Amino acid sequence: MLSSLGHGSRLARAAYVFAREGAFVGVDPALLPPVLRLPLAFANLIAKRDGGGLAGLSRAIDRLGPSYVKLGQFLSTRPDIVGGKVAIELERLQDRVAPMSRETAVAIIEASFGMKIESLFESFGEPVAAASIAQVHRAEVKTDEGMRAVAVKVLRAGTERRFARDLADMLFAARFAESLTPEFRRLRLTQVVETLARSVRMEMDFRLEAAAASEFAENSSNDQEVRAPAVDWNRTTREVMTMEWIDGVPVTDPERLTDLGFDPPALARTLIQTFLRTALRDGFFHADMHQGNFFVDKEGRVVAVDFGIMGRLGRKERRFLAEILYGFIRRDYQRVAEVHFEAGYVPDIYRVEDFAQAIRAIGEPIHSRTADQISMAKLLTLLFEITALFEMTTRIELVMLQKTMVVVEGVARKLDPQLNMWSTAEPVVGAWIAENLGPLGRLDDMSRGLSSLAVFLANAPRHLEKIAARLETDATAAVIEAEHNLSRSVIYFLGFATFVCVLAFLWYHW
């Protein structure tokens, strides 16, 4: 009860901030459940008159603090929930806060390692970047080859407590929203908040981010055009992560890249193909591919940093992505529709032909444009809008993939406004299709199937024992329940008979 009051009071404050900043101005009441239309009218009544709408939404989120900035950034990956325009506005939210002092960071590092800062680093500088969860310092370590520069990421003080409270409030609000209408339940708002909570918890354990960077580097070890910084595991804990310092040019500056002799259009192709290759080949991709997380080193390689948010795709999802993209390239809408049904993403109550017709409505306008005007990310966004009409259950991993594609495509087009997305993607997608869905791929699928069957048969006796034990337990429970019900029936019957006898006795003597 007290926790509900706490959630309610904090959410009421947040709702007031959103309303006051005009975040709900322009929202169509017809799109909301009837129960929310009166609160919407009240919210617009108290809104400031000096501008609202999307600008008011950003102001409100900034006022509410880091947890809501994270939520806003995360919801920018869900245009199916907030709409395309809102998603674009939320992408602009900057996760930047005033840095904590160097002394506070040093105290956190020393507490985490149980030793003085001088024992870990030869030098430790002032913060060079700060966000809601962590901040980064430049430091130096002594090696056999001499002094080496490193980047030290330090967890901000009080972060876990603040995020835990705010995320609990958001989960309370999501559950309430899902109780209002089936549409909110279809969007799985509770799952959205739970996914955000898991993501934040993983971001706050730098051992996991270091492991992600290491896995990405291992997967890309044979790629000539991309790499990840090396992790210094001896100077990494839950609260502190130490990595190789990257001296490179940010991809945000195409003119400087050109002046230094690099080829921005080639770098744009590298970014797109790296994303698709890691998603399809490895099933493990960088899911925060904004331009601040990529640099070009002196050898011309793209260096990725910040591995706090990563995406994973299972084999089924990778096949789904490849066949969807390839189907649109070939204008094979029937096959694109079949892939959705084979993956179990669209309910069987709908016909494949009807779904193919809806997909054609997306594909044909795209094919009437020139290649450099076609947005692969826009295509997937429209696809998810169509699937809502067919009650397709939201797949978080696919939406994260779509969002990442939106971001990386935007970064690539800043490097090369004439980028041909399809010719860039076709070698990677086509190679994956040929390898995994051709004859060799079919043999591999058969081998996987036989391997799974062998594992199942090997474990069959144990599974049968579990089933037998479960049935025996259920049977015993059923007997106990039956005996209990019988005893209860006898008691009820005796009570009822006694009551009737008393009534008969009173009536007779009366």
Side-chain angles (χ1 to χ4, degrees):
M1 179 64 180
L2 291 177
S3 62
S4 296
L5 289 175
H7 294 318
S9 62
R10 289 189 292 270
L11 289 169
R13 174 186 173 275
Y16 174 78
V17 172
F18 279 113
R20 183 65 179 147
E21 293 295 342
F24 304 116
V25 172
V27 175
D28 186 356
L31 300 177
L32 298 177
V35 69
L36 293 181
R37 292 172 187 171
L38 183 60
L40 175 65
F42 177 74
N44 290 337
L45 188 65
I46 65 173
K48 293 179 181 177
R49 302 305 173 195
D50 57 347
L54 297 182
L57 176 65
S58 296
R59 289 197 304 269
I61 291 176
D62 285 334
R63 279 186 56 187
L64 290 169
S67 302
Y68 282 85
V69 171
K70 278 288 182 187
L71 176 65
Q73 292 174 328
F74 191 76
L75 286 177
S76 72
T77 70
R78 297 297 305 274
D80 57 319
I81 293 179
V82 298
K85 292 182 179 179
V86 174
I88 292 173
E89 178 66 23
L90 293 177
E91 285 177 14
R92 300 192 180 108
L93 289 172
Q94 296 297 309
D95 188 14
R96 295 174 184 167
V97 296
M100 59 186 177
S101 67
R102 177 185 180 278
E103 291 72 23
T104 302
V106 167
I108 292 172
I109 293 172
E110 292 181 341
S112 182
F113 284 95
M115 61 180 67
K116 289 294 186 180
I117 191 77
E118 294 82 7
S119 302
L120 294 164
F121 304 103
E122 295 298 315
S123 66
F124 186 80
E126 297 292 333
V128 296
S132 57
I133 288 179
Q135 63 186 45
V136 177
H137 297 253
R138 191 181 191 276
E140 289 184 321
V141 297
K142 191 173 183 179
T143 68
D144 295 338
E145 291 78 23
M147 302 297 288
R148 178 168 57 89
V150 293
V152 184
K153 192 172 183 178
V154 185
L155 185 70
R156 293 177 64 88
T159 296
E160 293 176 282
R161 183 176 63 256
R162 181 177 64 250
F163 271 90
R165 184 198 65 192
D166 290 345
L167 288 169
D169 294 340
M170 295 172 192
L171 185 60
F172 181 85
R175 287 171 176 163
F176 174 74
E178 287 185 344
S179 69
L180 294 178
T181 172
E183 177 61 20
F184 286 154
R185 287 194 292 275
R186 188 191 73 82
L187 294 173
R188 297 184 177 182
L189 300 182
T190 299
Q191 186 178 351
V192 170
V193 178
E194 290 174 344
T195 302
L196 172 62
R198 287 194 298 272
S199 173
V200 169
R201 283 197 297 271
M202 292 182 70
E203 279 193 79
M204 289 190 290
D205 189 335
F206 293 154
R207 295 168 300 186
L208 299 179
E209 180 176 345
S214 177
E215 183 177 352
F216 186 91
E218 184 176 316
N219 291 340
S220 306
S221 59
N222 294 325
D223 296 338
Q224 302 299 316
E225 300 173 320
V226 65
R227 72 180 185 93
V231 176
D232 186 340
W233 286 103
N234 293 326
R235 296 176 177 83
T236 294
T237 65
R238 186 179 186 279
E239 297 86 7
V240 182
M241 180 174 66
T242 304
M243 303 182 75
E244 169 191 358
W245 180 268
I246 299 300
D247 280 320
V249 182
V251 298
T252 55
D253 195 346
E255 293 183 1
R256 186 181 173 195
L257 288 169
T258 301
D259 292 341
L260 292 173
F262 298 116
D263 183 3
L267 293 171
R269 291 192 297 273
T270 296
L271 281 174
I272 294 295
Q273 292 181 349
T274 294
F275 164 66
L276 289 172
R277 187 177 297 111
T278 55
L280 291 173
R281 180 192 65 194
D282 309 324
F284 185 66
F285 61 93
H286 197 302
D288 193 17
M289 295 186 71
H290 66 75
Q291 52 194 9
N293 282 342
F294 289 88
F295 298 85
V296 181
D297 66 13
K298 60 183 179 181
E299 298 176 7
R301 292 175 298 180
V302 174
V303 185
V305 299
D306 194 352
F307 296 87
I309 304 176
M310 304 297 290
R312 287 194 184 274
L313 295 175
R315 186 169 179 83
K316 182 175 76 171
E317 286 77 23
R318 283 184 269 169
R319 175 176 175 175
F320 174 80
L321 170 64
E323 292 217 57
I324 288 295
L325 295 178
Y326 210 61
F328 272 107
I329 291 173
R330 296 182 301 165
R331 301 172 73 174
D332 188 351
Y333 308 118
Q334 181 72 18
R335 181 56 192 154
V336 173
E338 289 171 353
V339 170
H340 278 78
F341 280 81
E342 289 172 6
Y345 294 154
V346 179
D348 291 336
I349 59 174
Y350 295 101
R351 297 173 56 198
V352 175
E353 292 77 13
D354 293 336
F355 192 60
Q357 179 183 349
I359 290 175
R360 181 179 291 273
I362 300 172
E364 287 304 299
I366 288 176
H367 280 284
S368 66
R369 303 175 184 177
T370 58
D372 62 318
Q373 295 176 321
I374 299 174
S375 167
M376 190 183 302
K378 180 65 173 177
L379 181 148
L380 289 181
T381 300
L382 292 173
L383 180 61
F384 288 152
E385 290 177 1
I386 288 292
T387 55
L389 298 175
F390 288 82
E391 302 179 74
M392 175 176 164
T393 302
T394 300
R395 304 282 302 187
I396 298 297
E397 69 274 17
L398 292 178
V399 175
M400 179 178 284
L401 178 83
Q402 179 265 336
K403 162 60 180 175
T404 307
M405 188 172 289
V406 170
V407 175
V408 71
E409 183 178 320
V411 174
R413 286 195 186 278
K414 287 181 181 178
L415 292 169
D416 180 12
Q418 303 303 315
L419 179 68
N420 184 327
M421 291 295 299
W422 297 104
S423 64
T424 302
E426 198 279 333
V428 178
V429 178
W432 193 92
I433 289 280
E435 181 179 350
N436 292 273
L437 301 182
L440 292 178
R442 301 298 182 188
L443 289 175
D444 185 56
D445 286 342
M446 185 182 300
S447 174
R448 289 172 184 269
L450 291 174
S451 177
S452 298
L453 179 61
V455 171
F456 174 78
L457 292 175
N459 293 326
R462 183 164 54 87
H463 291 316
L464 290 174
E465 288 177 2
K466 286 184 177 181
I467 294 171
R470 181 63 181 271
L471 290 174
E472 183 178 350
T473 301
D474 292 345
T476 302
V479 170
I480 294 174
E481 180 68 18
E483 291 176 350
H484 177 70
N485 290 337
L486 178 61
S487 300
R488 187 166 52 187
S489 299
V490 170
I491 292 171
Y492 287 162
F493 175 76
L494 291 175
F496 179 73
T498 302
F499 177 70
V500 170
C501 290
V502 170
L503 286 180
F505 175 81
L506 292 175
W507 178 79
Y508 177 77
H509 287 280
W510 182 78

